[in-house]
């Protein structure tokens, strides 16, 4: 990259800046979480550099584990019940469970679960064996996912994927859609509240589309339409299981008329319209269906 554009890179949103910006919104906190995250980022940068040197896979597993244990303990914000007992004077408020190189045969990514210790003093197994819903999200406000990519020459993670908002529907059915669906999708493409348009992602496999929706948020729609007045997907073994997962993840699942899980099928292969995903997105389309019902 030429020097001129390098000079402009000082305005890049790095993960360090992002975390500190978010931290500044919570003056009441001691900043422990921001410090902890920055130590994890340091570990990631170190491991990424080792990976790029083509270190042998087995060594990498051991190396990456040591890197993160040392980074976390030196942060003074964590407890490590197995590899190292953190000196009481350096005890923090978080315990971190991690797989340093998930899928290390592909050297893909580290996965971290950060849990707030329930009480000061000794770490107990109860502090670690917490339900997933207690995990801290690296997100603020209504959740959402920001993607950062390591720029090795810069040695910083750069914000490359702003809060990704996704809608998932077979646009080939657009001429068959009912009014609420058509209006909702229109708003995804041309938002009138100044937010950026949503990205369309559609695989054509409900499991894959819903899995991505669980990971990144957004909404999946297979509504009733002129071609499929009862929707295409089967209630018992497509809509219900996916709706259950979505509700457990804090989202919603709606048929266009009612909560999907309240539907009582009359036959085994009964079909049901289904709209499921993030709470705010489903609430938005529910309001469109309610407005249409009022007009009828
Ligand atoms: P197939 O098994 O026939 O490919 O259908 C898959 C599916 O039942 C469901 O997994 C998809 O979400 C949906 O159909 C895709 O349907 P369209 O191809 O009409 O979009």
């Amino acid at each position: 990259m030429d020097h001129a554009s390098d000079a402009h890179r000082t305005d890049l949103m790095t993960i360090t800046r992002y975390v500190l910006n978010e931290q500044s919104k919570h003056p009441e906190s001691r900043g422990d979480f921001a410090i902890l995250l920055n130590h994890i980022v340091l570990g990631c940068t170190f491991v990424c550099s080792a990976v790029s040197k083509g270190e042998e896979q087995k060594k990498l597993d051991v190396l990456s584990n040591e890197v993160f244990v040392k980074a976390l303990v030196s942060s003074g914000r964590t407890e490590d019940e197995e590899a190292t007992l953190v000196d009481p004077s350096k005890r923090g408020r978080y315990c971190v469970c991690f797989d340093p190189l998930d899928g290390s045969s592909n050297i893909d990514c580290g996965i971290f679960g950060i849990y707030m210790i329930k009480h000061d003093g000794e770490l107990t197994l109860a502090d670690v064996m917490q339900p997933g819903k207690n995990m801290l999200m690296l997100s603020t406000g209504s959740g959402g996912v920001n993607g950062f990519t390591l720029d090795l020459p810069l040695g910083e993670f750069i914000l490359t994927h702003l809060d990704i908002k996704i809608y998932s529907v077979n646009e080939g059915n657009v001429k068959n859609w009912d009014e609420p669906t058509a209006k909702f999708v229109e708003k995804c493409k041309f938002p009138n509240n100044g937010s950026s348009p949503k990205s369309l992602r559609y695989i054509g496999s409900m499991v894959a589309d819903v899995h991505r929706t669980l990971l990144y948020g957004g909404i999946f729609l297979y509504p009733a339409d002129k071609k499929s007045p009862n929707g295409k997907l089967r209630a018992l073994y497509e809509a219900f299981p996916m709706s259950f997962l979505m509700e457990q993840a804090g989202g919603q699942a709606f048929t266009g008329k009612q909560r999907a899980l309240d539907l009582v099928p009359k036959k085994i292969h009964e079909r049901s319209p289904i709209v499921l995903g993030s709470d705010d997105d489903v609430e938005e389309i529910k309001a469109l269906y309610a407005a249409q019902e009022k007009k009828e």
Side-chain angles (χ1 to χ4, degrees), residues 161-178:
H161 300 74
L162 267 173
D163 191 357
I164 312 155
K165 289 281 182 209
I166 294 168
Y167 74 103
S168 182
V169 68
N170 180 343
E171 292 246 8
N173 295 331
V174 61
K175 64 181 182 338
N176 299 320
W177 287 343
D178 59 21

Side-chain angles (χ1 to χ4, degrees), residues 44-201:
C44 293
T45 310
F46 189 98
V47 169
C48 190
S49 163
V51 165
S52 61
K53 288 177 192 137
E55 297 263 3
E56 185 198 318
Q57 179 194 328
K58 185 174 176 327
K59 266 195 225 161
L60 274 174
D61 281 330
V62 174
L63 170 77
S64 51
N65 193 60
E66 280 171 10
V67 163
F68 286 115
V69 169
K70 287 197 179 97
L72 290 169
V73 172
S74 66
S75 75
R77 289 338 186 255
T78 62
E79 300 271 355
D80 183 311
E81 202 214 16
E82 290 210 8
T84 321
L85 270 182
V86 177
D87 177 86
S89 62
K90 293 186 73 178
R91 288 256 150 97
R93 298 191 294 160
Y94 301 103
C95 53
V96 183
C97 310
F98 63 92
D99 175 354
L101 272 186
D102 176 58
S104 54
S105 53
N106 310 310
I107 312 290
D108 226 355
C109 55
I111 302 181
F112 298 82
I114 303 175
Y115 298 85
M116 178 84 81
I117 290 180
K118 291 182 190 152
H119 51 77
D120 288 331
E122 279 311 301
L123 173 75
T124 64
L125 207 52
D127 288 310
V128 183
M129 308 306 281
Q130 298 183 44
K133 65 184 175 191
N134 291 2
M135 191 176 288
L136 291 156
M137 289 276 291
L138 173 52
S139 73
T140 54
S142 60
V145 177
N146 289 295
F148 293 84
T149 307
L150 179 60
D151 179 320
L152 263 173
L154 200 60
E156 272 282 9
F157 282 83
I158 308 296
L159 179 62
T160 48
H161 300 74
L162 267 173
D163 191 357
I164 312 155
K165 289 281 182 209
I166 294 168
Y167 74 103
S168 182
V169 68
N170 180 343
E171 292 246 8
N173 295 331
V174 61
K175 64 181 182 338
N176 299 320
W177 287 343
D178 59 21
E179 192 178 298
T181 304
K183 278 186 174 173
F184 179 82
V185 171
E186 182 71 8
K187 198 144 170 284
C188 289
K189 295 174 170 176
F190 306 100
N192 54 16
N193 58 2
S195 58
S196 27
K198 286 186 170 67
S199 301
L200 171 62
R201 298 285 182 274

